[in-house]
Amino acid sequence: MTETSELPSSELPPAPEQARAVFGARFDDAVRYAELLADAGVKRGLIGPREVPRLWERHLLNCAVLSEVVPEGVTVCDVGSGAGLPGIPLALVREDLKITLLEPLLRRTTFLTEVVELLGLDHVTVVRGRAEEVMGKMPSVHVVTARAVAPLDRLATWGIPLLRPYGEMLALKGDTAQEELDGAKAALAKLGAESTSVLQVGEGVVDPLSTVVRVEVGESPGGVRFAAKRAKAARVGRSRRRRRD
């Protein structure tokens, strides 16, 4: 990767004290990631230049505090990972997780792969593809995460089918999270959701607090239709493996 150029402090502010507490031993890597976003991330069109002055509060810390509601030692798929938000901040905070960054665009997966290698995130895998394309081809996960990908009802059709039975989707949302959840409840129920809630995380770290919509599923993530699609994809995968053997 090309060495990141120095940016004026007015563009990329110093890391706030909260970042040291949140990222701990990985604080220097978090700083490096912020620099990459502010430089290569802007140049490649992954984030807007106006986001650089608020990278820490609005993006890195806002995403890192998601770790408060992710169970220990689980598998995670970050759907539509983009520039790695929230997947990479989560990975920096939680080395106990196995995280897949799922992203369909090549220029983004190239950036993500470079970041993962540069920061030595051995517990993170980058996969290029859409959620509907990888269903049945990659192992189901305990937790799906997402941020600024799509309205909740549409996001759920992509994310919930990737879950294991009794898994959960955690979506970072804005001020209208409860309103969006209320409007999506019927669609979520059809996808196998059994419990939904809106959580506030990041007390003492971010202001305003980060808002998370939690959707917990039962034994059939995605409902009957997606269970059939998963089974078909699994059969095709087994058939292909047998032919290779």
Side-chain angles (χ1 to χ4, degrees):
M1 178 183 288
T2 304
E3 196 67 25
T4 301
S5 60
E6 291 293 324
L7 290 170
S9 59
S10 59
E11 291 187 35
L12 179 60
E17 281 305 310
Q18 296 95 318
R20 291 185 178 274
V22 169
F23 290 104
R26 285 282 197 171
F27 171 73
D28 288 343
D29 288 327
V31 171
R32 183 62 172 147
Y33 178 49
E35 293 171 345
L36 290 167
L37 286 174
D39 186 6
V42 172
K43 291 175 180 175
R44 300 186 193 185
L46 303 180
I47 67 165
R50 293 183 180 179
E51 296 303 310
V52 173
R54 51 187 185 178
L55 267 178
W56 284 104
E57 289 81 1
R58 185 179 175 89
H59 298 287
L60 273 74
L61 289 173
N62 177 271
C63 291
V65 297
L66 182 63
S67 64
E68 295 177 16
V69 290
V70 177
E72 290 186 12
V74 298
T75 53
V76 178
C77 181
D78 188 31
V79 173
S81 196
L85 301 165
I88 288 178
L90 183 62
L92 289 170
V93 174
R94 297 285 300 277
E95 295 191 46
D96 61 300
L97 305 174
K98 295 292 185 183
I99 299 177
T100 298
L101 306 179
L102 181 62
E103 168 58 46
L105 295 184
L106 177 60
R107 63 187 172 90
R108 293 176 180 172
T109 54
T110 299
F111 175 79
L112 293 172
T113 300
E114 292 171 352
V115 171
V116 166
E117 292 176 356
L118 184 67
L119 301 185
L121 298 174
D122 297 333
H123 57 306
V124 177
T125 302
V126 178
V127 174
R128 184 185 175 197
R130 300 182 183 279
E132 57 268 34
E133 296 169 347
V134 303
M135 186 179 60
K137 298 178 183 178
M138 58 176 274
S140 300
V141 297
H142 298 94
V143 176
V144 162
T145 60
R147 178 179 186 254
V149 173
L152 189 61
D153 53 353
R154 197 188 320 159
L155 172 63
T157 65
W158 302 332
I160 287 181
L162 300 178
L163 289 171
R164 297 173 59 156
Y166 305 104
E168 59 185 312
M169 183 176 74
L170 300 172
L172 281 161
K173 289 289 183 179
D175 296 338
T176 60
Q178 186 63 60
E179 180 182 336
E180 193 173 340
L181 177 57
D182 291 342
K185 280 189 175 179
L188 294 172
K190 290 180 181 178
L191 290 166
E194 294 196 343
S195 176
T196 60
S197 55
V198 175
L199 312 173
Q200 300 285 318
V201 296
E203 182 73 39
V205 178
V206 289
D207 184 18
L209 299 178
S210 297
T211 301
V212 181
V213 174
R214 169 185 270 161
V215 179
E216 298 172 280
V217 301
E219 62 181 357
S220 298
V224 176
R225 182 165 63 93
F226 285 99
K229 289 180 71 174
R230 273 197 302 273
K232 181 179 179 180
R235 287 196 301 272
V236 170
R238 286 195 297 269
S239 176
R240 288 174 177 169
R241 286 193 292 272
R242 284 196 295 268
R243 286 199 296 269
R244 285 199 300 268
D245 296 340

